[in-house]
């Protein structure tokens, strides 16, 4: 396995060599997205969840301070410095981030609050509360889980667990939010109690939900999503759902078991059938944050280990097999709250807790 330092040197050398080759040949091609350089940046005192701009020049990190005040901080990936921040309330339970296709607007889901941030000025444009969930009297609404944006940026999807009462639970739901109007437009019940990860097909006409009863596919071609099917043999071991990642061409879906069992499923989306059951780590390892590689040949998944620190596993997208030579071990973080793959395809942005250091959360930039 490559060490972080070796991988960083390889990444920087490759970028430099590519630049010299372009100059020597007189190539006039426009520069692609910027690659990140190795850095570890303290961003907060609680969790840190990153997302990266389409051109790779900015990383936005949602993080909280010691008083649970929640911020979005902007990091210049060319200088590795925090260049601005905006307060977005208090950290009730940060669920995730989504970025518009042009990088101009950031969507943050914090428990039942959705916040829209202008990334150029780092100002809050809109804040709204997730609509109440239909349920019997005395029941409690389910927790929101994840958010995902359609490829055209027009629709935001939010997953929510089913409501629960005394020894009883209902089905979860998916809510739709129109980004132009900045309003919720509807919801659809899904046949699963826990509705966790979300993945939108690249044509915008399909949505996958990582449910506890199995991965559910919805058709999003109409005004309101409709349930198509639950993919067989994808129910999770302890019923807490999957986190999902979809290759850029939409052909393969990775479902990582959120129970901590170290297991997952690789799914062929042409037929909606599992092609491989994956055992990626030992029992109760902390698998999470599945992400596709830019070229579609790899998936990446984080693991947490209180002894040796966190890692990023590289998986062959066609088979689900771990690729040891491309796996990154020994991260500074003991637990990764969020992972982003840079648009250059060769940089990880990992956010999480620092090992053996109290109340520090990092953004770690890792060329690979």
């Amino acid at each position: 396995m490559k060490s972080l330092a070796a991988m960083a040197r390889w990444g920087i050398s490759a970028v430099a060599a590519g630049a010299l080759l372009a100059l020597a040949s007189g190539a006039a091609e426009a520069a692609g997205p910027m690659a990140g350089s190795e850095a570890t940046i303290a961003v907060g005192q609680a969790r840190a969840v990153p997302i990266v701009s389409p051109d790779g020049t900015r990383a936005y990190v949602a993080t909280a301070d010691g008083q649970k005040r929640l911020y979005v901080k902007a990091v210049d990936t060319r200088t590795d410095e925090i260049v601005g921040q905006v307060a977005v309330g208090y950290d009730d339970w940060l669920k995730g981030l989504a970025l518009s296709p042009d990088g101009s607007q950031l969507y943050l889901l914090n428990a039942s609050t959705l916040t829209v941030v202008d990334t150029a000025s780092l100002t809050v444009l809109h804040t709204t509360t997730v609509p109440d969930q239909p349920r019997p009297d005395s029941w409690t609404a389910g927790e929101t889980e994840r958010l995902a944006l359609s490829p055209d940026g027009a629709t935001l999807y939010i997953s929510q667990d089913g409501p629960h009462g005394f020894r009883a639970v209902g089905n979860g739901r998916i809510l739709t939010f129109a980004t132009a109007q900045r309003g919720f437009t509807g919801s659809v019940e899904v046949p699963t109690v826990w509705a966790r990860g979300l993945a939108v097909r690249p044509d915008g006409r399909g949505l996958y939900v990582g449910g506890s009863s199995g991965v559910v596919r919805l058709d999003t071609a109409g005004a309101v999503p409709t349930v198509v099917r639950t993919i067989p043999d994808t129910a999770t071991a302890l019923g807490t759902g999957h986190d999902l990642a979809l290759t850029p061409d939409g052909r393969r879906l990775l479902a990582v078991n959120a129970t901590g069992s170290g297991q997952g499923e690789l799914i062929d989306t042409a037929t909606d059938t599992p092609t491989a059951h994956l055992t990626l780590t030992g029992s109760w390892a902390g698998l999470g944050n599945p992400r596709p590689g830019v070229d579609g040949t790899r998936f990446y998944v984080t693991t947490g280990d209180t002894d040796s620190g966190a890692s990023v596993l590289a998986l062959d997208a066609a088979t689900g097999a771990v690729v040891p030579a491309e796996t990154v071990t020994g991260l500074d973080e003991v637990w990764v709250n969020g992972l982003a793959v840079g648009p250059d395809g060769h940089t990880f942005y990992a956010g999480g807790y620092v090992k053996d250091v109290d109340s520090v959360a990092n953004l770690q930039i890792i060329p690979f």
Side-chain angles (χ1 to χ4, degrees):
M1 289 182 202
K2 299 180 180 70
S3 68
L4 294 186
M7 296 185 83
R9 287 195 297 271
W10 177 85
I12 294 168
S13 298
V15 170
L20 289 172
L21 182 60
L23 287 172
S25 63
E29 267 185 51
M34 201 191 80
S37 57
E38 186 178 10
T40 299
I41 305 159
V43 292
Q45 293 176 271
R47 64 180 135 261
V49 178
I51 199 166
V52 185
S53 64
D55 63 3
T57 62
R58 286 285 188 276
Y60 303 100
V61 187
T63 187
D65 66 12
Q67 286 72 50
K68 290 190 65 178
R69 291 174 295 205
L70 188 62
Y71 295 90
V72 171
K73 299 189 178 184
V75 174
D76 186 327
T77 59
R78 294 161 294 192
T79 63
D80 299 329
E81 295 178 345
I82 297 172
V83 293
Q85 66 179 33
V86 58
V88 288
Y90 283 83
D91 183 10
D92 295 316
W93 192 249
L94 178 62
K95 297 296 184 175
L97 307 175
L99 194 62
S100 62
D102 64 0
S104 65
Q105 294 187 14
L106 178 71
Y107 303 91
L108 181 147
L109 181 62
N110 178 28
S112 61
T113 301
L114 178 66
T115 301
V116 185
V117 173
D118 178 87
T119 57
S121 60
L122 286 180
T123 56
V124 173
L125 297 174
H126 183 74
T127 300
T128 189
T129 301
V130 171
D132 197 13
Q133 188 174 33
R135 61 190 187 277
D137 292 343
S138 80
W139 281 37
T140 302
E143 289 190 11
T144 59
E145 289 288 355
R146 299 289 186 269
L147 74 170
L149 195 61
S150 62
D152 61 4
T155 305
L156 189 71
Y157 301 98
I158 292 176
S159 57
Q160 185 177 16
D161 297 334
H164 51 276
F166 181 68
R167 295 183 179 178
V169 290
N171 281 336
R173 65 174 178 168
I174 303 300
L175 298 106
T176 55
F177 178 87
T179 58
Q181 293 78 23
R182 293 181 186 153
F184 284 94
T185 56
S187 67
V188 58
E189 183 178 300
V190 288
T192 184
V193 171
W194 312 116
R196 193 174 172 91
L198 296 172
V200 186
R201 292 177 64 91
D203 60 6
R205 297 175 63 88
L207 174 71
Y208 291 94
V209 183
S212 50
S213 302
V215 177
V216 180
R217 179 172 176 173
L218 288 82
D219 184 344
T220 57
V224 178
T226 56
V227 173
V228 177
R229 65 178 64 89
T230 297
I231 297 176
D233 302 320
T234 57
T236 57
L238 296 180
T240 56
H242 289 283
D243 281 321
L244 304 178
L246 191 64
T247 53
D249 61 7
R251 295 175 60 189
R252 295 182 181 88
L253 180 72
L254 176 67
V256 174
N257 194 325
T259 60
S261 65
Q263 298 183 343
E265 306 288 341
L266 188 64
I267 297 167
D268 180 344
T269 60
T271 58
D272 282 345
T273 55
T275 58
H277 175 74
L278 310 176
T279 300
L280 301 174
T281 62
S283 296
W284 298 107
L287 283 179
N289 307 298
R291 299 289 183 266
V294 171
D295 65 2
T297 64
R298 295 288 184 269
F299 285 113
Y300 302 103
V301 183
T302 63
T303 70
D305 189 319
T306 54
D307 293 323
S308 59
S311 302
V312 182
L313 301 181
L315 311 181
D316 186 310
T319 66
V322 175
V323 184
E326 298 177 20
T327 289
V328 180
T329 60
L331 272 66
D332 292 340
E333 294 72 35
V334 67
W335 189 265
V336 177
N337 304 126
L339 178 73
V341 180
D344 67 305
H346 293 285
T347 311
F348 290 135
Y349 298 82
Y353 299 102
V354 179
K355 184 180 181 182
D356 298 329
V357 179
D358 291 333
S359 301
V360 174
N362 275 350
L363 171 69
Q364 190 172 2
I365 304 175
I366 310 163
F368 66 93

